Amino acid sequence: MERRTFIAGAVAVSGVSAVGGATLSAAAEPDGSGSTADHVRGVTAITKVFGAGQKLVAVAVEYDREIDGSALSTSTFAVTDRTVTKVYANRTAELAERGSDGRYVIVELSPDDTAAALWVTQQGSGTGTATPSPSASSSGAPGGGGPKVGDSTPGGTIVAAKASLVQKGTVTTARGTRYPATGTTLTTDKVVNLIVDDFQQFTYDDSATGQTLKYNLFVPMNYDPRKRYPLVLFMHDASVVNVATEGPLVQGLGAVCWASPEDQARHECFVLAPEYGSVVVDDTYKPSTLFDATAGLVEAVTKKYSVDENRRYTTGQSMGAMMSLGLNIKYPDLFAAAFIVAGQWPSEQAAPLADKNLWILVSQDDDKSYSGENAITKVIQEQGTEVGTAVWDGQSTAAQFAADVRNLEKQKAPVNYASFQTGTTVAAGSGTSAHMGTWQIAYTIPGIRDWIMRQSR
């Protein structure tokens, strides 16, 4: 599947192109004469999704000649409101550990810059926040003082990926031609959204409920209908309701982590991420008909593609975690395993979960979800099912989390329950709650996903 490229605003008039307000000749002199800007053929913004959401992480400047990467440095370019961390040449408009001489100069930018954030929530993202609205709860959880079932007020905003930069130093071609510094401002005219662009967008009409669902679907790159593939359903939290269809892909890692090249190399699978137009469930635990429509969507995708019915999985955060629990109770044959992140469900309904493979992750200072999961796992144990338990430090390194997963797996329980120590899921002053901080970390731990993928119904 080819990565789609979104055009953000290229302009062409009578054979000339406009970049940053300067009119550039369509044909550069072959010997390198003319202004430096004449040799720029395009500027591409590159985005990447992190736990806190999508960010603009690089700009790729395309020249008309192959560029000598050895002559580049972080001072070669200045990007408005951004910190340049790395500059190198490359053959394509892509990030690389090590560059190679090519027509593109990749200008990498700090993801910690305030201006990097492209997903901005009303509940705090750590890098940028919108003005709070009455529809957004302080914890980011549905119910309580937050959004109610049927509320369609968006809790987050997708910011367009744009950047402006100036070439402040000399760029030298592989043949030695020098393109001197220039005061011309270059602006991005294309966008490459890493992993996000590998999803397709569709709508599903559910005949049983009359509901229409927008959804994103990742199809394995080398899909072969003669094979059978696992499917992962990701359901977003209440802050993502009623935004663009791509909302579940840019709000954090919950959907895109399963579609990363690294995960797909280990576990080829479909990834399904609906975009809900309104809140589906709140703390009354009486979901709207979008709940049942979601089960219909899973079945419809299973029938359309070669999906293994015994290896369908569900995951979600907050509202999505609640839906994952509820769907496992109401539709016990739908999923083989579930990754539950910062959610809860009435314990008096939890007995059927004793027959499920679950990995539960919550923060101990997320009062509602933590107490809710404690009640659920108590019921599961009372039903005679073993529950493996562990307490983790949310600030652990990747290696430490990998060891944490292995140690919990050694308990050989069908239900694994890990909780983050109080105060370890959020940085001081970030404005992010422990509730939201949980899922910003949860989907960065590949060992949990590996465990999920080993389960079968």
Side-chain angles (χ1 to χ4, degrees):
M1 182 188 305
E2 295 183 359
R3 174 182 291 147
R4 298 188 312 281
T5 301
F6 295 93
I7 304 301
V11 181
V13 182
S14 301
V16 298
S17 62
V19 181
T23 300
L24 312 179
S25 170
E29 292 294 330
D31 62 358
S33 61
S35 72
T36 294
D38 288 340
H39 302 287
V40 174
R41 291 293 171 261
V43 186
T44 301
I46 301 175
T47 75
K48 181 179 178 181
V49 180
F50 295 80
Q54 188 182 54
K55 300 183 180 185
L56 175 57
V57 297
V59 176
V61 183
E62 182 185 4
Y63 287 87
D64 58 355
R65 297 286 189 275
E66 187 175 280
I67 301 302
D68 176 8
S70 66
L72 298 170
S73 73
T74 55
S75 62
T76 305
F77 289 88
V79 182
T80 304
D81 295 328
R82 299 302 305 274
T83 304
V84 177
T85 59
K86 189 177 178 182
V87 178
Y88 52 91
N90 206 9
R91 293 182 182 132
T92 57
E94 296 179 328
L95 304 179
E97 288 295 322
R98 297 183 63 183
S100 59
D101 290 355
R103 290 175 54 175
Y104 294 88
V105 174
I106 310 301
V107 183
E108 291 196 16
L109 308 169
S110 171
D112 297 327
D113 292 339
T114 299
L118 301 176
W119 169 249
V120 181
T121 74
Q122 295 167 337
Q123 298 138 11
S125 68
T127 52
T129 57
T131 302
S133 75
S135 68
S137 75
S138 60
S139 68
K148 305 294 186 181
V149 167
D151 188 346
S152 60
T153 305
T157 302
I158 301 174
V159 180
K162 297 179 181 179
S164 300
L165 70 164
V166 175
Q167 183 187 316
K168 305 289 285 188
T170 298
V171 172
T172 305
T173 71
R175 294 189 176 185
T177 301
R178 294 164 61 86
Y179 296 160
T182 174
T184 301
T185 298
L186 306 173
T187 57
T188 50
D189 54 17
K190 302 181 184 68
V191 181
V192 169
N193 301 289
L194 300 177
I195 305 180
V196 171
D197 288 347
D198 296 329
F199 282 76
Q200 301 175 67
Q201 285 70 48
F202 301 100
T203 57
Y204 163 71
D205 295 314
D206 184 62
S207 59
T209 64
Q211 288 281 6
T212 296
L213 271 176
K214 300 184 295 181
Y215 68 95
N216 303 275
L217 183 67
F218 175 87
V219 178
M221 294 297 183
N222 299 309
Y223 172 63
D224 181 351
R226 294 171 297 182
K227 295 171 56 179
R228 298 187 71 78
Y229 296 83
L231 177 145
V232 178
L233 168 69
F234 169 75
M235 292 175 287
H236 61 73
D237 63 278
S239 73
V240 193
V241 300
N242 200 25
V243 298
T245 304
E246 293 85 357
L249 309 180
V250 304
Q251 57 75 46
L253 292 168
V256 297
C257 65
W258 309 86
S260 71
E262 296 80 10
D263 272 55
Q264 287 290 308
R266 298 195 309 276
H267 312 288
E268 280 189 303
C269 68
F270 284 81
V271 185
L272 174 63
E275 162 55 35
Y276 296 106
S278 61
V279 173
V280 183
V281 62
D282 58 25
D283 288 347
T284 65
Y285 303 104
K286 297 177 181 178
S288 74
T289 52
L290 289 170
F291 179 86
D292 295 298
T294 302
L297 171 61
V298 171
E299 294 289 9
V301 172
T302 299
K303 291 177 182 177
K304 182 175 181 179
Y305 297 93
S306 185
V307 172
D308 186 347
E309 294 182 1
N310 293 317
R311 296 188 65 204
R312 296 184 300 202
Y313 312 110
T314 181
T315 186
Q317 59 206 32
S318 192
M319 182 183 81
M322 295 167 72
M323 292 180 68
S324 290
L325 290 166
L327 286 169
N328 269 285
I329 292 168
K330 185 171 183 178
Y331 300 95
D333 296 327
L334 195 57
F335 302 110
F339 181 21
I340 308 299
V341 181
Q344 70 275 348
W345 199 261
S347 59
E348 60 270 20
Q349 301 177 25
L353 296 174
D355 296 324
K356 307 301 295 183
N357 299 309
L358 306 174
W359 195 296
I360 301 167
L361 194 56
V362 68
S363 178
Q364 293 180 356
D365 45 351
D366 180 359
D367 295 339
K368 189 174 293 183
S369 294
Y370 184 50
S371 60
E373 293 298 355
N374 285 339
I376 286 173
T377 51
K378 181 180 178 182
V379 170
I380 290 173
Q381 289 174 313
E382 290 172 347
Q383 296 296 309
T385 298
E386 291 187 30
V387 177
T389 60
V391 178
W392 292 352
D393 181 348
Q395 301 303 311
S396 294
T397 64
Q400 289 168 336
F401 276 134
D404 288 338
V405 170
R406 290 193 297 269
N407 289 333
L408 188 46
E409 286 179 323
K410 288 178 182 177
Q411 299 184 39
K412 298 185 182 301
V415 176
N416 294 294
Y417 181 23
S419 59
F420 288 129
Q421 295 171 357
T422 296
T424 66
T425 59
V426 295
S430 68
T432 302
S433 66
H435 185 69
M436 292 185 67
T438 300
W439 66 71
Q440 293 181 8
I441 300 169
Y443 293 105
T444 69
I445 307 174
I448 299 176
R449 302 196 295 276
D450 292 339
W451 182 88
I452 292 289
M453 284 289 177
R454 289 196 296 271
Q455 311 310 307
S456 182
R457 186 167 63 85

